[in-house]
Amino acid sequence: MVDADDSSGTPKPDSAPEGSGSSIPDPPPAGEIEQFFRTYWESLVRGLLAEGAKMWEAQDAVAEAIREALRRWPTLTNPAAWVRVAARSHWLKQRARIAHADGEVLVADVEQYDESRTTDPGLTELELEEWFNHVLDQLPPARREALRLSAQGLTPAEIAALVGKTPEAVRTALKLGRRQAVELWEPHEGGDDK
């Protein structure tokens, strides 16, 4: 329809041609959706967990059900009940797809990022151990063995008794091994050799 006062001849945005059947329903008010989400999210997820779903499966199914409910919002008489049934249905379908291997395999969400944790101590420890082993692999066998045992907390006297050498020989191997390890660790500036 065209407004009689509109000289441009363009239809009004809020008027759809009669009988077109292509009108898009208005979305529910944002406050209503937020309230629904805050009120029901946890109980919907807990309900699926009680039935045997994993946390990520339950969250995924509930999120998909809510997303679908938003499309049908104006026609739903009891959104909470509808979402509960739809979430269970999504979860069961997801399990069936995975069991038959004809669907995508979903992976669990990773731990939520915490800005106060800038590094993962486990990963840092693993990286240091990997670096340490890489440096030790480049050392002569006696120095490598002495440094590995020293890193395990043994004293030079204990290392000497274990490997059948004198404590002085072990101390020398440790001193030379440490010096060589530091040289290997420090990158050469501009490719210059020392």
Side-chain angles (χ1 to χ4, degrees):
M1 301 184 147
V2 177
D3 187 2
D5 296 330
D6 187 5
S7 59
S8 67
T10 58
K12 285 184 171 181
D14 60 336
S15 61
E18 289 184 31
S20 68
S22 63
S23 64
I24 299 172
D26 291 333
E32 188 177 336
I33 294 170
E34 183 177 349
Q35 183 61 35
F36 178 85
F37 185 85
R38 289 181 188 275
T39 304
Y40 294 104
W41 173 264
E42 190 176 333
S43 66
L44 291 166
V45 170
R46 268 198 324 258
L48 290 177
L49 291 173
E51 290 192 45
K54 296 177 181 151
M55 178 62 84
W56 65 271
E57 291 174 322
Q59 290 175 340
D60 188 54
V62 171
E64 186 60 34
I66 289 175
R67 191 176 309 118
E68 199 172 304
L70 292 177
R71 288 187 221 116
R72 303 167 185 243
W73 199 264
T75 63
L76 297 177
T77 55
N78 188 344
W82 190 93
V83 169
R84 188 175 313 282
V85 170
R88 186 172 190 276
S89 175
H90 282 294
W91 170 59
L92 293 173
K93 287 177 186 175
Q94 180 183 42
R95 282 203 136 171
R97 278 194 312 265
I98 291 172
H100 289 72
D102 62 351
E104 62 181 304
V105 177
L106 302 176
V107 295
D109 289 338
V110 294
E111 186 176 322
Q112 191 164 358
Y113 180 72
D114 180 6
E115 295 204 23
S116 67
R117 228 178 74 189
T118 56
T119 59
D120 182 355
L123 182 59
T124 303
E125 184 178 325
L126 181 63
E127 289 172 335
L128 285 173
E129 184 179 335
E130 186 177 302
W131 168 83
F132 183 70
N133 287 330
H134 175 70
V135 169
L136 287 183
D137 289 342
Q138 298 177 50
L139 299 177
R143 295 176 190 174
R144 180 182 327 136
E145 184 177 33
L147 282 174
R148 276 207 173 106
L149 293 171
S150 177
Q152 294 174 10
L154 299 176
T155 65
E158 293 170 329
I159 295 171
L162 197 65
V163 297
K165 295 185 179 178
T166 65
E168 293 78 26
V170 171
R171 283 189 201 93
T172 301
L174 286 170
K175 183 175 104 178
L176 294 174
R178 288 183 188 122
R179 184 179 300 153
Q180 190 175 2
V182 168
E183 289 173 4
L184 290 169
W185 179 32
E186 293 176 345
H188 297 296
E189 300 288 326
D192 295 341
D193 289 317
K194 290 185 179 179

